[in-house]
Amino acid sequence: MDSQKIENLLNLSLNATEEEREKSETLNVGYNVAERTWEVIVKYHGNISRLADDLIQVEELIAGYAIIKLPQSLIPSLAEIEEIEYIEKPKRLFTEMMEAISVSCFLPVTAREPYLTGQGVLVAVIDSGIDYMHRDFRNADGSSRILYLWDQTLGREFTKEEIDTALEAETMQEAYRIVPS
């Protein structure tokens, strides 16, 4: 089923066997094995809500895009509909943290001797804000990994002790009264 409206990766996935898709991190994304359905992203014009029925679910997004869930056997018919301009499968996304680790070559230097851990390294981050309550900025005991937080809009520096006190607060409102950043 090689339609010009269907992206190459989706065509490849549709032409692959289920066993081949299961072995791939890419080909099976968007396919529900139990229901034997696909979630695909479509670019369309006009009114596609009329496609929705017992077999097809349509979730309209914005700017002429929608997510359609349908049985694999109906994808060729979907490509034949005039309002459908393009069909693609969803892509597996990786967190920004994993991407940052990968591009900074941390994995190669941490997987062999001498094992580099980053322990004892201080990092300064200049940004428009930080969620000091986020688990990435907390130690295993719940205390903050942040030593100092400078809030430019308040013209004030908050210390680790102040942040830890805020983290121990019983409510978010109380925490933000202590460190309103």
Side-chain angles (χ1 to χ4, degrees), residues 118-125 145 147-148:
Q119 186 172 356
V121 173
L122 293 179
V123 176
V125 177
R145 295 174 59 197
L147 301 181
Y148 301 97

Side-chain angles (χ1 to χ4, degrees), residues 134-173:
H134 194 279
R135 63 183 171 81
D136 284 348
F137 301 112
R138 297 175 76 167
N139 295 310
D141 66 0
S143 65
S144 180
R145 295 174 59 197
I146 301 169
L147 301 181
Y148 301 97
L149 188 160
W150 171 259
D151 189 312
Q152 184 68 29
T153 56
L154 297 175
R156 171 137 196 265
E157 178 183 271
F158 297 95
T159 65
K160 176 181 177 3
E161 291 75 25
E162 290 173 298
I163 298 168
D164 284 340
T165 302
L167 293 173
E168 293 170 358
E170 294 195 19
T171 66
M172 296 282 276
Q173 293 80 9

Side-chain angles (χ1 to χ4, degrees), residues 132-133 166 169-181:
Y132 63 85
M133 293 189 178
E170 294 195 19
T171 66
M172 296 282 276
Q173 293 80 9
E174 185 180 337
Y176 286 118
R177 273 195 298 277
I178 299 166
V179 179
S181 184

